[in-house]
Amino acid sequence: LGFRRREGPETTYYDVPLMRGSPEYFDSLKATQPLQDEIERLRRHNAHLEAQRLQDAAELQRFRGHMEAQREEFDRKFLAMDDSLARRDEEILRLKQELHALADSKRDADGAKTELWQLKETIQDDQRRAEEKENLRLHYIEDLKHKMEDERQRMEAHIRKLEQEVRAERRVRDEAEARETR
């Protein structure tokens, strides 16, 4: 005898031999009853597992959708971050180039500064030498003035002495002439 049993989405087919009222039939029924119970329990368990599998599959599908959305969001953020990093790298490169240009300018400015300091020192040395020469010249002029003044005074003293001698000689001559004319 063929049977069909529907449990959830599954339909199970099975055959049972039919024995009419014989003791073997009842013995076979008793012997197969625990098996039938076990089969029934396993079918229920199988149905439960199938329902769990369908729930897990639905959950997995939702999780895959969520993960795909997360991956797309990550990709979008990663691309945005990659663009941002590329812009920052370009900015860093530009700033490094500016830094090198500034370093070159600073080096040039330091060179010019060094040249200016050397020129300033040279000018200061020249000015100091010129002041020393001017001081020596002024000192020489003062010495010369003093010598000239001393010489003038000596000459004036000499002239006065000569004038006195000339006057004295004139007096002597005048006196001698006056004595002679007398």
Side-chain angles (χ1 to χ4, degrees):
L1 188 58
F3 289 98
R4 159 169 73 152
R5 180 177 292 186
R6 181 171 251 186
E7 291 183 13
E10 290 187 17
T11 302
T12 308
Y13 297 95
Y14 59 95
D15 292 322
V16 177
L18 197 53
M19 294 188 240
R20 294 188 190 202
S22 71
E24 292 89 20
Y25 171 71
F26 290 115
D27 286 340
S28 75
L29 278 179
K30 287 179 191 174
T32 60
Q33 187 60 39
L35 287 171
Q36 290 297 327
D37 291 343
E38 182 65 18
I39 289 171
E40 188 61 32
R41 187 187 66 76
L42 290 174
R43 282 185 180 151
R44 281 192 307 270
H45 185 67
N46 189 30
H48 175 72
L49 289 176
E50 183 62 24
Q52 185 67 40
R53 185 190 66 80
L54 291 174
Q55 285 179 347
D56 290 347
E59 182 69 24
L60 181 61
Q61 191 61 30
R62 277 195 318 275
F63 184 71
R64 282 182 181 158
H66 177 71
M67 290 305 291
E68 183 65 25
Q70 289 289 330
R71 188 181 63 77
E72 289 172 1
E73 178 71 15
F74 176 76
D75 288 348
R76 185 181 57 76
K77 286 181 179 178
F78 181 76
L79 288 175
M81 191 185 330
D82 195 38
D83 290 343
S84 174
L85 287 175
R87 285 191 303 273
R88 286 185 182 164
D89 287 343
E90 289 172 1
E91 181 69 13
I92 288 171
L93 181 61
R94 185 186 63 77
L95 290 173
K96 282 182 179 179
Q97 289 171 346
E98 285 182 17
L99 182 64
H100 288 299
L102 287 174
D104 291 343
S105 296
K106 183 182 182 299
R107 194 171 24 261
D108 293 344
D110 287 342
K113 181 180 173 184
T114 302
E115 289 176 11
L116 288 173
W117 276 107
Q118 290 172 346
L119 182 60
K120 179 182 176 185
E121 288 175 2
T122 303
I123 290 171
Q124 286 175 343
D125 289 344
D126 290 347
Q127 185 177 8
R128 189 172 37 256
R129 281 193 294 271
E131 287 174 1
E132 287 173 2
K133 285 180 182 180
E134 181 66 18
N135 287 336
L136 287 173
R137 188 181 69 80
L138 290 175
H139 185 64
Y140 175 74
I141 289 172
E142 283 297 315
D143 284 348
L144 197 56
K145 282 181 181 178
H146 288 302
K147 285 180 184 177
M148 298 277 269
E149 182 65 28
D150 290 345
E151 186 65 26
R152 185 183 64 78
Q153 287 175 359
R154 190 181 63 75
M155 294 284 265
E156 284 178 356
H158 185 63
I159 289 172
R160 279 193 299 271
K161 182 178 172 187
L162 287 175
E163 285 177 348
Q164 285 174 357
E165 287 176 1
V166 168
R167 275 192 293 250
E169 252 181 58
R170 252 189 218 156
R171 234 182 301 147
V172 169
R173 207 176 340 156
D174 285 343
E175 285 175 10
E177 278 181 9
R179 268 188 263 149
E180 277 184 23
T181 51
R182 288 199 216 161

